[in-house]
Amino acid sequence: MAQQNNNRAQFATKLGVIATTVGSAVGLGNIWRFPYEAGNNGGGAFLICYLLCIVALGIPVLCAEFAIGRSTRSNIFGAFENLKSSSKWHWIGYIGILSSVMILSFYSVVAGWTMEYLYQSFTGGLNLSGAEAFHNQFTSFSTGNWRPILWTVIFLLCNYIIVVRGVKKGIEKMSNLMMPALFVLLIIFCVNSLMMPKAKEGLEFLFSPDFSKITPEVVVSALGQAFFSLSLGLGTMMTYGSYFSKDTRIVRSATITASLDTLIAVLAGIIIFPAVFSFGMSPVQGPALVFEILPSIFAQMPGAQIWSVLFFFLLFLASLTSTISMSEVSIAFLSEEKKMSRIKASTINLIIALCGGVLSALSFGYLSDLNFFGLFDINFFSFFDFTSSNLLLPLGGMLISIFAGWRLERSALKNALTNEGKIGVKTFPLLVFCLKFVAPIAILLIFLLGLKLF
Ligand code: TRP
């Protein structure tokens, strides 16, 4: 990996840049969260809001994060301090840390479910038949107290072992292999789902929007999902941008990352919804949806065990490349700004995530009736998920777009996006317009809606 004079590591190849940012973006957000959010929020109505949020808000904010990261070669705190010292902008970093720890907590629980399903695939434990059987299996597993915690802890330890070493090169290599493999597997499953008896109903649910179903909830969820899926709003992509070389094309990388990420989410939808209708289930299942449907799909395919082992293994790796990227936010803060050793920083991150992870894991069993100190009627898992994805990420994204659009010198933004004028970026005026007006206003409105729903 090439080193720059300021000793900051950089990605080795162009493919490495894409594979790693896509590695952060693609994960449970696409395969687990997108289908269940779409299922809960009316399918096509959700998809259309989601796509609008990706194009009008997601891509501009992604460009802003990359640009700020690369031009300051710093983590989210250092970045704002470098650009506007003696101001309060680095507070965005605190929002980032808070949301990254919340996300890491509940995300690890779901990644733990993935590990359980990988284990069950290996040992033949998914050898059941009928959607009902898979439903019961998931319910009895997730409402149990020990196994979900055990897997959450194992997952967080895997994450810890990787982040403690800061092995960027390894991640780059792993993502280079894993992403294409996952993609091929998804295509095969799509073809399989498209041949199911009620494929047409499933596709209609996802692709033909019923505009009357667009409610404030749908809009808030779509924005949250867009930010979650693109890993935006908490400085992850800013940190990754700081590893870009001076020749990396920011707008192009952002567009490719967003397109691949969206493609994978839509493929997941094409796999899930035809099956949901063919198995006579309801799309409104919440977080359990994918863990009940996927094993039922595999069970019907020839060579079921191989498909499910391969799939859950790749999904586990995809989750890991995502949690590595979110852990980097607080670890970079503790090690670069607070001058802690990497081990100490990673250990603090681990301990906090373990506490949040256990609370989230228990949210389906022992703590499922908890009403959050009597204040809210939701469990820890949903609290972490809703607060981070639907409130904190959009808030972070709004501040980042205001910063890039209004506070950052226009020439600095232009230099970053055009590689010091070496490449032309025709969309520059449009991007600036989105960062100055569209993103802050739209996100603010949706954020206020979200607060109200909260
Ligand atoms: N985008 C990832 C996914 O879809 C999750 C993720 C990684 C993330 N880093 C993030 C979400 C930072 C929000 C912020 O699975």
Side-chain angles (χ1 to χ4, degrees), residues 24-25 27-30 103 107 228-229 231 234 236 322 325-326 393:
S24 165
L28 294 167
N30 310 62
I103 295 180
Y107 201 93
F228 187 91
S229 198
S231 308
L234 54 74
T236 299
S322 299
S325 76
M326 62 185 96
L393 296 185

Side-chain angles (χ1 to χ4, degrees), residues 145-201:
N145 292 328
W146 291 110
R147 282 180 86 89
I149 292 186
L150 180 70
W151 286 118
T152 306
V153 172
I154 296 178
F155 180 81
L156 280 169
L157 287 175
C158 294
N159 184 58
Y160 175 77
I161 292 170
I162 299 178
V163 293
V164 99
R165 300 197 196 154
V167 278
K168 294 195 186 63
K169 208 168 177 177
I171 300 165
E172 193 175 330
K173 281 216 178 93
M174 184 167 95
S175 300
N176 278 346
L177 279 178
M178 175 196 73
M179 283 300 149
L182 183 65
F183 186 71
V184 171
L185 213 60
L186 291 177
I187 296 282
I188 297 175
F189 296 157
C190 273
V191 173
N192 176 63
S193 282
L194 290 174
M195 293 190 307
M196 291 190 177
K198 298 219 170 139
K200 198 164 158 262
E201 270 176 57

Side-chain angles (χ1 to χ4, degrees), residues 8-184:
R8 209 173 171 83
Q10 288 180 24
F11 292 127
T13 60
K14 267 192 208 144
L15 183 64
V17 170
I18 296 296
T20 318
T21 51
V22 174
S24 165
V26 172
L28 294 167
N30 310 62
I31 311 247
W32 159 76
R33 205 173 182 281
F34 173 80
Y36 100 68
E37 286 283 353
N40 278 356
N41 290 295
F46 177 84
L47 181 64
I48 211 145
C49 298
Y50 173 71
L51 293 177
L52 276 176
C53 288
I54 293 275
V55 174
L57 314 173
I59 295 181
V61 176
L62 186 52
C63 289
E65 284 209 24
F66 283 164
I68 294 173
R70 186 181 56 191
S71 44
T72 56
R73 297 236 166 266
S74 181
N75 62 67
I76 183 162
F77 287 89
F80 288 108
E81 230 139 45
N82 282 350
L83 290 168
K84 287 264 173 255
S85 53
S86 76
S87 72
K88 294 267 173 279
W89 285 98
H90 63 274
W91 271 85
I92 298 181
Y94 293 116
I95 303 178
I97 292 210
L98 180 65
S99 31
S100 75
V101 179
M102 281 190 174
I103 295 180
L104 188 57
S105 304
F106 77 84
Y107 201 93
S108 303
V109 174
V110 184
W113 296 349
T114 307
M115 292 179 90
E116 160 83 7
Y117 273 68
L118 175 61
Y119 168 79
Q120 294 291 351
S121 315
F122 255 120
T123 55
L126 294 184
N127 209 349
L128 308 171
S129 65
E132 184 72 23
F134 287 106
H135 170 74
N136 295 339
Q137 184 183 38
F138 181 76
T139 312
S140 80
F141 158 68
S142 61
T143 54
N145 292 328
W146 291 110
R147 282 180 86 89
I149 292 186
L150 180 70
W151 286 118
T152 306
V153 172
I154 296 178
F155 180 81
L156 280 169
L157 287 175
C158 294
N159 184 58
Y160 175 77
I161 292 170
I162 299 178
V163 293
V164 99
R165 300 197 196 154
V167 278
K168 294 195 186 63
K169 208 168 177 177
I171 300 165
E172 193 175 330
K173 281 216 178 93
M174 184 167 95
S175 300
N176 278 346
L177 279 178
M178 175 196 73
M179 283 300 149
L182 183 65
F183 186 71
V184 171

Side-chain angles (χ1 to χ4, degrees), residues 126-374:
L126 294 184
N127 209 349
L128 308 171
S129 65
E132 184 72 23
F134 287 106
H135 170 74
N136 295 339
Q137 184 183 38
F138 181 76
T139 312
S140 80
F141 158 68
S142 61
T143 54
N145 292 328
W146 291 110
R147 282 180 86 89
I149 292 186
L150 180 70
W151 286 118
T152 306
V153 172
I154 296 178
F155 180 81
L156 280 169
L157 287 175
C158 294
N159 184 58
Y160 175 77
I161 292 170
I162 299 178
V163 293
V164 99
R165 300 197 196 154
V167 278
K168 294 195 186 63
K169 208 168 177 177
I171 300 165
E172 193 175 330
K173 281 216 178 93
M174 184 167 95
S175 300
N176 278 346
L177 279 178
M178 175 196 73
M179 283 300 149
L182 183 65
F183 186 71
V184 171
L185 213 60
L186 291 177
I187 296 282
I188 297 175
F189 296 157
C190 273
V191 173
N192 176 63
S193 282
L194 290 174
M195 293 190 307
M196 291 190 177
K198 298 219 170 139
K200 198 164 158 262
E201 270 176 57
L203 294 181
E204 265 168 22
F205 176 77
L206 185 61
F207 291 112
S208 63
D210 172 354
F211 290 97
S212 67
K213 288 209 177 124
I214 301 184
T215 60
E217 256 136 317
V218 172
V219 178
V220 170
S221 312
L223 178 70
Q225 176 60 21
F227 273 64
F228 187 91
S229 198
L230 291 180
S231 308
L232 286 183
L234 54 74
T236 299
M237 290 305 195
M238 209 175 279
T239 315
Y240 274 17
S242 73
Y243 305 129
F244 283 7
S245 80
K246 59 184 189 331
D247 298 321
T248 307
R249 291 170 169 240
I250 288 182
V251 181
R252 182 185 286 178
S253 305
T255 315
I256 297 178
T257 304
S259 313
L260 290 177
D261 183 70
T262 308
L263 177 66
I264 303 252
V266 172
L267 289 181
I270 298 179
I271 296 170
I272 299 294
F273 292 111
V276 166
F277 288 93
S278 301
F279 298 147
M281 292 170 71
S282 153
V284 190
Q285 303 272 340
L289 179 70
V290 167
F291 286 89
E292 296 181 5
I293 290 285
L294 280 173
S296 327
I297 299 179
F298 300 148
Q300 295 202 327
M301 293 173 71
Q305 192 172 9
I306 300 176
W307 295 119
S308 62
V309 168
L310 262 178
F311 176 79
F312 285 114
F313 178 63
L314 289 174
L315 187 56
F316 159 70
L317 291 184
S319 321
L320 207 50
T321 51
S322 299
T323 51
I324 291 166
S325 76
M326 62 185 96
S327 307
E328 201 56 41
V329 176
S330 39
I331 295 176
F333 168 69
L334 293 174
S335 62
E336 291 172 9
E337 305 296 313
K338 299 281 167 215
K339 308 289 174 229
M340 281 182 195
S341 67
R342 192 151 178 109
I343 294 203
K344 194 167 171 196
S346 314
T347 310
I348 294 179
N349 185 58
L350 171 71
I351 293 172
I352 299 176
L354 278 174
C355 300
V358 169
L359 291 174
S360 308
L362 287 176
S363 297
F364 296 85
Y366 187 61
L367 295 179
S368 60
D369 293 330
L370 177 113
N371 58 5
F372 224 85
F373 316 119

